[in-house]
Every structure is written in structure tokens, then in C-alpha cells.
Amino acid sequence: MTKRRVIIVGGVAGGATCATRLRRLDENAEIVVLDRGPFVSFANCGLPYYVGNVIQEESKLLLATPKLFRERFNIEVRTRNGVIAIDRAASTLSVRDLETGREYSEPYDVLVLSPGAAPVHPSWPGIDLPGIFTLRTVPDSREIKDWIKEKKLRRAVVVGGGFIGLEMAENLVHLGIDVTIAGRPNQVMPRLDPEMAEYAKQRLESRGVTLALGDQVTEFRQNGDGSLIVHTQGGATYEADLVVLAIGVRPETELAQDASLEIGERGGIRVDPQMRTSDPRIWAVGDAVEVMNRITGQWELIPLAGPANRQGRIAADAICGRDVRFEGIQGTTVCGFFGLTVAYTGASEKALRRAGMEDYQYIYLHPDHHVGYYPGAQAIHLKLLFRKSDGLVLGAQAVGDEGVERRIDVIATAIQMKTTVFDLEDAELCYAPQYGSAKDPVNLAGMIAANVLRGDVELAPWGELNSAGAFLLDVREPNEFLAGSIPGSVNIPLGQLRARIGELPQSRKIWVNCGVGQRSYYACRILVQHGLKASNLSGGYSTYRVLHP
Ligand code: FAD
């Protein structure tokens, strides 16, 4: 039997997974991994924590070495070997050995591309000044660490408020550095809906991070002492001794493009569900490829380690003739900083709108992560999106100090299994006082949404608060009401509602709110059964505060 020769370009998340899976399926294949960097299989997700000295030894970031690949998997790994061209007609690669400068040709029967995505590096004036860094590789993180050590710096500007930017901000603050986060979007974590990002904003500000959002950085200049000035379109300037650019990544498609492989509408390599490119002998995986969003059906670029790993495995299976499919992506993400966890899965409201999907509804809730009577209960702020017509779960975003990622993981699985809010209502999840509640936040989300779909309660649209002309009723206790309330609302505590129902207008819309939406739901049930037109302001005053920060 002739040996199949598989060459894999890129030896980190997608490439390394593909290589080792391939070996488990095909003991005979000749497998070569080429990576232009000095390491393979390194933990890029750990890099911000290495900069911040949370991870102290660089070696901890190196998950596998070429020696381990050779000895354990009989895979040849060549680091510092960059692929510079693909000759599809000849089935060869041109490779440059970056140590010696030698160029050579490497034949393949099957080619897998996993070159990843490069940090966006715009051509703004001054972008190449010393002290401005991006973070993708171990050497990048080493350079930032050396700069911090050498300069004993005080001020940093992180450009970009996505998860890498926020993780960098936290780590720099831990090192005693004053951090400003700058960027064009007027919220951090741009994939979140803005009101959910507000919690992240508040936590960052409470830890001394300056947010300079909604203003495009345009230029960097240098002071006489070598420090930097960051200029923005709005005319603001920020002094910095270090700038980290974290404004996103772009798929590394040059090899694929030069070889005339199909590139998709979002600029990533286009692949079929088996991760095969437009050339049947070339596969592509990871950050370099476009993926189909499971919810919106749109092509997207979603650079995440989990999908890259899964795609690497699927490509290996497909190469070995197995009937596998990558079913698309839902973008399940978690990020933590200053004790806060932010996680989301599926579609946000803005993604649904962008996709022209109007058949959706959403609710807010703010349950404790475990029962309130057990010490240490912390609120989880949760937004659940679902299809109005049948309750299909479309997406969820959650923010809080504890238990956030567990709830999003459950909902992520529910979305993957195409389940409905009625299934969330019924989900049997683990419970003991220190872990959750007999009605877990996921159950509660399902119950609230199911109540809406069954017609037990109507939701008042927050967006029309000031225009709908509704009578605003607040059913909290007077002390809560006095501490802060929606302007124009009238306070009748829930316990007095039945007795004071005559004070309410008979024919006007009544929009009810409380602390988190539970008492107002009870109130709505009372009022509706008395023939009044009551609707619930989902999430109550807690939601109001992030909608009107
Ligand atoms: P990569 O892992 O980037 O690997 C690509 C490799 O290909 C590189 O080593 C590169 O040197 C090599 N290469 C490229 N072109 C060539 C060429 N022409 N010849 C030879 N070699 C080449 N994701 C998460 O899900 N959670 C996180 O917490 C998270 N944190 C992150 C933090 C940071 C700082 C970074 C940078 C990324 C983070 N990610 C995270 C994203 C995640 O690391 C990527 O989605 C994942 O690594 C993508 O895998 P990949 O195989 O497509 O590309």
C-alpha cells in the first residue's frame, strides 16, 4: 500500500489536532507539520496571563514539542519553516527554512491549511513606533514583557475592547500599570448586546481602567522621552508608555488566495462541511476559514480555539474517508477580568437584526448563582433570546461573578440540540445549596420565556418606555423605590396591590416593574385576572439601570 503524504501548514490549535487525529486513524500516513514560528502546539490563549505573570514559566505555554510529536505520534514537525507557495498542479509546496534561508519543494498528496489569523495592524501613522505591540505568539508576549521590565512603565493604552484587549487590560493593571482602553465601537465586547456590555464597562471602570470608547484611534506620535501619544478622530490624546493593539484579527489567506482557492464573502477560506476547500485535495481549518453561523445561516469569521480544534479533527476524519460534518458555529465564548465572567452563545439581538430575523423575543433575569440563603450568592445577569413562533432557543448572554459559564454552557448545548425554552424550563440540572437552586437560572430563563409564549404574561418593550404612554407601576417596597426608580413610575408594593387596585387606570396600558422582574410578574398575573392591561418590564429595575446607565 502506498503511503499517503499529508502536509499540514500551521501546528497550533487546528493543525496539531488534525495531525494527531490523523495519526490515530492512519498509522501508515506520512505526516509532516510545517510552522514558521519557533513553537508548535502552544497555548495562545494563555499569553495575556504570561504577560501578567499569572503564568510565570514560559515552558507552561508549550503544550507539545517536535520531539513529543515524533516519539509519540511519529509525526515530523519542522518549526521555523514557512510555506511560501502552493503549486496545486504539481502538488508541491515551496518552503523556506527560516534558520538557513534555504528554499525547498515539499510534495503532498493531501494538504491541510491551518495558518490562523493575524492581528489587524492598520496603516495608521506612527503604528510602527517602538512600544506598540500586538499579541499572537510566545515571542510577542516575551517582547511585551521585556518592554515592561525595561521601561518600568506606568501607562498603557490597549486599543480594542474585545476579549484579548480586556484580558490584556486586566493583566497590565495587575502589574500596577494605569490602563486606558480605546476603540471605535462604543462598547466593550462588541459581540454582546450593548446593555449586557454595560456590566463589563462598570467593572472595568470600578477597577480604575479608563474607557475611551466610540472614538477611532488615528495616529501615534512619540514624545521626546520616547513615550507615546495616542491620537483619536475626536481630538482626544492619551499618553502611554506601552500600546497593545487588539483590534481584531484577519484570516491568513495569502497562500490560499495565491493558489486560487475559493475565498468567501467575509474574506476567509471557503470550505465545505468536511472542511474541504475548493480543491478536493486541500483542507482548511481554524481561524483562516469562514464558518456558517448555525443560527443566522450567515457566513462569519469567528476565531476561537474550540472550533479550530473540532475542525482539525473533522478534517482528519474526512481525509480518512469518515462521514463527518462540521455543523457550523454558534460562537460560544467566555472571558474573565477583575472577577467578572462574561459569556455568550448563539445570536445576540443585534446579530439577529443584522440577519433580518424578526421572529424573536428576549427576556432578562438576574437570579442568584446559588440559593440566597447559602453564603456568597452572586447575581447572574442573563439575557435569553428565543424564537417567538415556537420557542427555539437562539442565544444567551450572561454576566456575573460566579456560575456564569456553567449556565451558558448548558444553553449552548440546548442551542446545539435545537431545543426550545420549554426544554430549558424542564431541564434537570444539578442542585445543592452551594451550587445552584432547585430552580436553576437556566430553568428560570426557560420558565419566564415559556410564560411569555403561553400568554401568561405580556412583555412591555423596554425600547418604548418613554414613548408608549403607559402607566408605570413599581411594585417594590417603598425603601427600594426611594433608593432609585424609573422616572414617572408610581409605587404600590405587591403586598398592597389587591387592596389598591382601584387606584390603577382601567383602560390604559400598565407597565409593571420591580427589582428583577419576579414580583412584577406576580403583579401582572393579579392585574390581568382583574381585567387590567398589564405587561411586565423584563428584568425590572436592574435591567433599567443598564439600559439607562
Ligand atoms: P493558530 O493557532 O494561530 O496557528 C496558526 C499557526 O500557523 C501559527 O503558529 C503560524 O506560525 C502558522 N503559520 C501561518 N502561516 C504559515 C505559513 N505560511 N507557513 C508555516 N506556518 C504558518 N480562543 C478561545 O477560544 N479562547 C480564548 O481564551 C482565546 N484566547 C486567545 C488569546 C490570545 C492572545 C490569542 C492570540 C488568541 C486567543 N484565542 C482564544 C484564539 C485561539 O487561539 C485561536 O482561535 C486558535 O489558536 C486558532 O487556531 P488555528 O490553528 O486556526 O491558528
Side-chain angles (χ1 to χ4, degrees), residues 494 497-498 501 521-531:
L494 180 63
L497 191 61
R498 287 183 182 87
I501 214 158
Y521 164 60
Y522 301 155
C524 284
R525 292 299 304 153
I526 295 170
L527 297 178
V528 167
Q529 291 183 65
H530 279 81

Side-chain angles (χ1 to χ4, degrees), residues 4 6 8 14-15 17-19 21-22 25 110-114 271-277 280-286 289 307-326:
R4 172 165 41 191
V6 184
I8 299 176
T17 303
C18 183
R21 172 71 175 167
L22 204 50
L25 299 182
V110 171
L111 177 62
V112 181
L113 301 176
S114 186
V271 289
D272 69 11
Q274 296 206 316
M275 310 311 300
R276 203 185 276 105
T277 67
R281 291 196 303 145
I282 305 181
W283 273 257
V285 301
V289 306
N309 275 273
R310 288 206 316 280
Q311 292 165 2
R313 188 178 162 91
I314 285 172
D317 283 6
I319 290 166
C320 293
R322 294 200 173 188
D323 185 16
V324 284
R325 286 175 68 83
F326 183 71

Side-chain angles (χ1 to χ4, degrees), residues 5 15 69 101 121 156 172 177 205 217 219 221 223 239 250 267 314 397 399 409 442 448-449 472 497 510 512 540:
R5 188 171 163 73
F69 273 98
H121 197 261
L172 293 173
I177 298 168
E205 285 177 338
V217 169
E219 185 179 357
R221 290 193 201 154
N223 288 317
E239 299 270 342
R250 55 153 197 87
I314 285 172
Q397 300 158 56
V399 189
D409 276 343
V442 172
I448 296 169
L472 300 179
L497 191 61
I510 302 171
V512 193

